[in-house]
C-alpha cells in the first residue's frame, strides 16, 4: 500500500457489509431507485418555492434550504456507494474521504439548526400571528439562514480538521459504507480521547440545543392550539406544523432511540443502517411529506404541470 506520509494511507477500503455480501445487490437496486427520486423530489420543491408567487413566504424559503441540504447530503454519499457496490474494489481515496467528511458534517450541522429555525417560524406563525410579518421579515430570514450556514461550515471544518490530524498508523480499512467522523476516530491509533470528548461536547451544541429549542417551540404551539375554540381552527393550526413535526421525528427519533441503548447491545451493522436511513431514506421522504400534506405545494405543482403541458 502506498502511503501519503507515515500515518495517512492513499486510499481507504470500505468494508461495508463484507460479512453479508448477499445484501449488496438489493442495496444497489434500492439506491438506484431512491437516489433519482430524492434528487428529483427535492429539486422540484426548490423550483416550486422559487417560481410560484404563492410560495414566497418564510416557511417555503426555509424549505428550499432544507431541500438543498438533502440534495447535498445524498449526492455526497450515494454515487460513491453505487460505484463501490457495483465493483469488486470498494475503496475511496484519502482526499475523497476528507471531502466527504467535510460535506457530511457541514450539512448535518446545518440541518439540525435549520429544523430549529423552522420550528421557530411555526411558533411565530401560530403564537404571534399578528406580528408574523414583522418578526419573520426578509432580513431576519436571511440572517437566520446565514447563521445556519456559517455555523454548519464552522462545525464541519473544526471537527473534520481535528479528526484528520489523528494518526492512522497505516490502517486503511473502515468498517462502514462511507467516511464518517466516528469511524475515522475509531480507526485512528494513539491518543484519541480528546477528539472523542470534543466530538461529544460539540454534538451537544449542534444537536441537543436545536432539539431543545424545537421541543420548547412545539410545547408553546401545543398550548396555543389548545386555546383555539373552533375545531376547524385547531385542525388548520395543526396542519401547518404536521409536516415539520414528521421531519423532526424522522431526523431525531432513530438517533435518540439508538443512543439510548446500552453500547453493548448495538450491533456492528446497526450504525451502517442508521447512516443509510439519514443519507437515503430521509432525503427521499422529505419532498413527499411536504407535498402530500400541503395544499399550497400540491396546487403549485399542479399549476407547473399544467403550464408545461400547455406550452408543449
Amino acid at each position: 500500500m502506498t502511503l501519503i506520509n507515515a500515518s495517512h494511507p492513499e486510499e481507504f477500503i470500505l468494508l461495508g457489509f463484507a460479512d453479508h455480501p448477499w445484501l449488496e445487490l438489493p442495496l444497489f437496486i434500492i439506491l438506484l431507485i431512491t437516489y433519482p427520486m430524492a434528487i428529483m423530489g427535492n429539486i422540484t420543491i426548490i423550483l416550486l418555492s422559487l417560481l410560484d408567487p404563492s410560495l414566497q413566504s418564510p416557511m417555503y424559503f426555509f424549505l428550499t434550504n432544507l431541500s438543498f441540504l438533502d440534495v447535498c447530503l445524498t449526492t455526497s454519499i450515494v454515487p460513491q456507494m453505487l460505484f463501490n457496490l457495483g465493483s469488486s474494489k470498494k475503496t475511496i481515496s484519502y482526499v475523497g474521504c476528507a471531502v466527504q467528511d467535510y460535506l457530511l458534517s457541514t450539512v448535518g450541522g446545518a440541518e439540525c439548526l435549520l429544523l430549529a429555525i423552522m420550528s421557530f417560524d411555526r411558533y411565530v406563525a401560530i403564537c404571534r400571528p399578528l406580528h408574523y410579518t414583522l418578526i419573520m421579515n426578509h432580513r431576519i430570514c436571511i440572517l437566520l439562514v446565514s447563521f445556519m450556514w456559517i455555523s454548519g461550515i464552522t462545525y464541519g471544518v473544526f471537527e473534520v480538521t481535528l479528526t484528520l490530524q489523528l494518526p492512522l498508523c497505516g490502517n486503511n480499512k473502515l468498517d462502514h459504507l462511507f467516511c464518517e467522523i466516528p469511524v475515522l476516530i475509531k480507526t485512528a491509533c494513539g491518543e484519541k480521547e480528546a477528539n472523542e470528548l470534543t466530538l461529544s461536547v460539540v454534538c451537544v451544541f449542534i444537536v441537543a440545543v436545536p432539539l431543545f429549542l424545537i421541543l420548547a417551540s412545539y410545547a408553546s404551539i401545543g398550548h396555543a392550539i389548545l386555546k383555539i375554540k373552533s375545531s376547524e381552527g385547531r385542525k388548520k393550526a395543526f396542519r401547518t406544523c404536521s409536516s415539520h413535526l414528521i421531519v423532526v421525528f424522522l431526523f431525531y427519533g432513530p438517533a435518540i432511540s439508538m443512543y439510548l441503548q446500552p453500547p453493548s447491545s448495538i450491533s456492528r451493522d446497526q450504525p451502517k443502517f442508521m447512516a443509510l436511513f439519514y443519507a437515503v431514506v430521509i432525503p427521499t421522504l422529505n419532498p413527499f411529506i411536504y407535498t402530500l400534506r400541503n395544499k399550497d405545494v400540491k396546487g403549485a405543482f399542479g399549476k407547473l404541470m399544467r403550464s408545461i403541458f400547455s406550452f408543449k
Side-chain angles (χ1 to χ4, degrees):
M1 180 185 67
T2 304
L3 299 182
I4 293 176
N5 55 40
S7 61
H8 295 132
E10 190 177 64
E11 63 181 15
F12 289 106
I13 298 172
L14 299 169
L15 299 179
F17 294 108
D19 295 340
H20 310 288
W22 60 271
L23 278 173
E24 291 186 359
L25 180 58
L27 183 58
F28 180 84
I29 294 172
I30 291 170
L31 292 178
L32 200 62
I33 295 171
T34 56
Y35 177 61
M37 289 173 60
I39 297 299
M40 290 177 61
N42 283 291
I43 290 178
T44 300
I45 293 291
I46 293 171
L47 290 176
L48 290 176
S49 300
L50 293 175
L51 298 176
D52 196 284
S54 65
L55 302 183
Q56 303 300 310
S57 66
M59 182 174 73
Y60 297 107
F61 174 67
F62 298 138
L63 180 57
T64 299
N65 280 271
L66 179 65
S67 293
F68 181 71
L69 286 173
D70 283 342
V71 169
C72 293
L73 175 64
T74 191
T75 301
S76 66
I77 295 172
V78 177
Q80 176 260 325
M81 285 178 59
L82 283 170
F83 180 79
N84 282 354
L85 288 169
S87 64
S88 57
K89 189 180 180 182
K90 306 181 189 309
T91 60
I92 184 171
S93 67
Y94 180 81
V95 175
C97 183
V99 170
Q100 194 173 70
D101 266 332
Y102 279 116
L103 286 172
L104 287 176
S105 299
T106 297
V107 171
E111 188 155 338
C112 288
L113 295 171
L114 181 58
L115 290 175
I117 292 171
M118 293 174 77
S119 68
F120 175 72
D121 173 68
R122 294 299 83 205
Y123 163 77
V124 177
I126 293 174
C127 300
R128 299 287 186 272
L130 298 178
H131 302 93
Y132 181 76
T133 54
L134 179 65
I135 297 173
M136 300 303 296
N137 59 64
H138 184 68
R139 180 173 172 272
I140 294 297
C141 292
I142 294 293
L143 286 174
L144 288 172
V145 168
S146 299
F147 171 76
M148 173 205 79
W149 279 108
I150 292 171
S151 300
I153 292 170
T154 303
Y155 165 72
V157 170
F158 174 76
E159 275 298 325
V160 178
T161 302
L162 193 66
T163 303
L164 291 177
Q165 292 175 0
L166 289 171
L168 296 171
C169 302
N171 187 3
N172 72 332
K173 292 183 179 180
L174 300 179
D175 188 16
H176 207 19
L177 295 160
F178 50 86
C179 287
E180 270 194 311
I181 287 180
V183 182
L184 284 175
I185 293 177
K186 185 179 179 181
T187 306
C189 59
E191 297 294 328
K192 52 188 177 182
E193 288 76 13
N195 289 70
E196 293 175 339
L197 178 61
T198 303
L199 179 63
S200 300
V201 171
V202 174
C203 281
V204 167
F205 287 97
I206 207 73
V207 177
V209 172
L211 178 59
F212 173 78
L213 294 175
I214 291 170
L215 294 175
S217 296
Y218 276 104
S220 300
I221 289 171
H223 183 67
I225 290 176
L226 291 175
K227 286 185 175 180
I228 299 174
K229 294 181 179 180
S230 68
S231 59
E232 187 60 33
R234 285 195 295 270
K235 289 179 182 178
K236 185 178 179 181
F238 181 75
R239 279 197 300 268
T240 63
C241 303
S242 58
S243 297
H244 182 249
L245 269 174
I246 294 171
V247 172
V248 169
F249 176 77
L250 288 174
F251 190 82
Y252 282 101
I256 292 172
S257 65
M258 181 176 174
Y259 286 115
L260 286 177
Q261 294 182 61
S264 58
S265 68
I266 297 176
S267 67
R268 177 185 171 186
D269 291 331
Q270 197 168 350
K272 300 171 191 176
F273 285 111
M274 184 68 68
L276 281 173
F277 182 80
Y278 282 107
V280 180
V281 177
I282 292 180
T284 304
L285 290 179
N286 280 355
F288 293 98
I289 291 170
Y290 279 102
T291 301
L292 296 175
R293 300 183 63 85
N294 192 303
K295 292 181 179 179
D296 294 334
V297 176
K298 286 191 287 187
F301 183 75
K303 284 191 289 184
L304 179 64
M305 290 295 101
R306 286 193 294 271
S307 64
I308 291 173
F309 284 114
S310 63
F311 176 77
K312 288 183 178 180

